[in-house]
Amino acid sequence: MRLVGRYSSPFVRRVAVTLRHYDMAYDHLSVMPFGAGKADVARFNPIARVPVLQLDDGEMLCDSTAILDHLDEAAGPERALVPSYGKARRQVLALLAIALGSNEKLVAALYERHFRPREIWHQPWIEACEGQVRDGYLWLEAHFTGPWFTGGSITQADLTTAVFWSFGMAKRPGLFAKLDCPNLRALGERLEVTPAFKATQPEAEMLSSQLADGSKS
Ligand SMILES: N[C@@H](CCC(=O)N[C@@H](CS)C(=O)NCC(=O)O)C(=O)O
């Protein structure tokens, strides 16, 4: 298998930590879907987005949720990080919907800062997106059971939220440091020291330096 995309993308990284959690071997093609890398990514995905997982027979899976669904199936129902059916499945999917939505709103606000000249940043849009980010993480915090999100077993809600939390702390430390989310902070710290997370540290990337000025507050 070949994973396309850089670990600096939280969507790519949640796939990578899951592959490692399942002990599934993969090659990593570390390319960015912007600038010079865009044409490389378009070889794997017609709309040049990451992540893509290319299977050994050449089949391409696009979008982290579709990729993780395949990995769960390959891992089998006993090990799957999203339970196969029933209330347990709905519970994990409900948590993932809010984690994914919150991260997408964070990315939308980051893109506003990155892709538009500072003079025409639309501050009300940035604030609306970041308000949704805040509400999403506070909801997740309130729904954390412990020791893992849904109780005694680790699920995809844990891996994904930890990846997204670290991404938010790196990109918008001013916003994330103010969030009253001790459970999510502890979850992130706990998982970041595991082999799967250590082996998938985000690369330094161009967006960081270009965003740094406006995104630290
Ligand atoms: N829903 C997608 C989101 C993937 C996504 O937003 N990827 C970003 C990198 S973090 C990307 O490829 N951006 C380039 C673009 O949207 O043109 C997933 O879960 O995989």
Side-chain angles (χ1 to χ4, degrees):
M1 283 187 288
R2 179 192 284 174
L3 176 62
V4 180
R6 290 159 64 100
Y7 298 145
S8 54
S9 158
F11 302 101
V12 174
R13 192 174 183 221
R14 81 185 187 115
V15 171
V17 295
T18 302
L19 282 162
R20 289 170 183 272
H21 174 87
Y22 286 145
D23 284 324
M24 293 175 179
Y26 66 98
D27 296 328
H28 184 207
L29 184 61
S30 180
V31 281
M32 212 178 171
F34 302 108
K38 186 167 181 167
D40 289 328
V41 177
R43 287 169 37 226
F44 300 93
N45 177 342
I47 57 170
R49 296 187 96 189
V50 294
V52 179
L53 189 72
Q54 183 178 32
L55 304 185
D56 291 340
D57 65 1
E59 184 181 351
M60 308 282 188
L61 302 181
C62 300
D63 196 284
S64 60
T65 297
I67 296 169
L68 294 178
D69 188 60
H70 166 71
L71 297 182
D72 285 347
E73 188 180 74
E78 295 299 315
R79 297 180 68 216
L81 283 162
V82 177
S84 311
Y85 62 89
K87 187 165 183 190
R89 177 176 176 82
R90 291 198 301 280
Q91 197 181 2
V92 173
L93 292 180
L95 292 163
L96 285 170
I98 303 306
L100 281 158
S102 303
N103 193 62
E104 279 163 13
K105 297 307 297 196
L106 176 62
V107 170
L110 293 173
Y111 281 6
E112 172 76 11
R113 285 195 165 100
H114 179 72
F115 289 111
R116 285 160 62 96
R118 188 172 190 143
E119 316 77 74
I120 58 166
W121 285 356
H122 191 53
Q123 206 56 38
W125 165 246
I126 293 174
E127 282 164 20
C129 289
E130 293 189 346
Q132 287 167 289
V133 172
R134 199 174 296 115
D135 291 344
Y137 280 99
L138 290 174
W139 185 91
L140 289 167
E141 172 72 16
H143 287 77
F144 188 91
T145 302
W148 299 106
F149 241 114
T150 59
S153 308
I154 191 168
T155 70
Q156 187 57 244
D158 297 291
L159 295 189
T160 289
T161 304
V163 166
F164 289 174
W165 180 265
S166 297
F167 179 75
M169 284 297 290
K171 296 294 180 191
R172 287 291 281 120
L175 172 66
F176 275 71
K178 284 190 208 129
L179 288 177
D180 185 18
C181 294
N183 287 318
L184 303 188
R185 193 178 307 278
L187 175 72
E189 287 168 4
R190 184 169 161 202
L191 282 172
E192 282 294 346
V193 297
T194 62
F197 277 69
K198 279 168 110 170
T200 57
Q201 284 302 304
E203 309 85 349
E205 46 122 344
M206 288 183 293
L207 282 182
S208 304
S209 55
Q210 289 165 10
L211 286 167
D213 193 24
S215 61
K216 298 282 183 201
S217 57

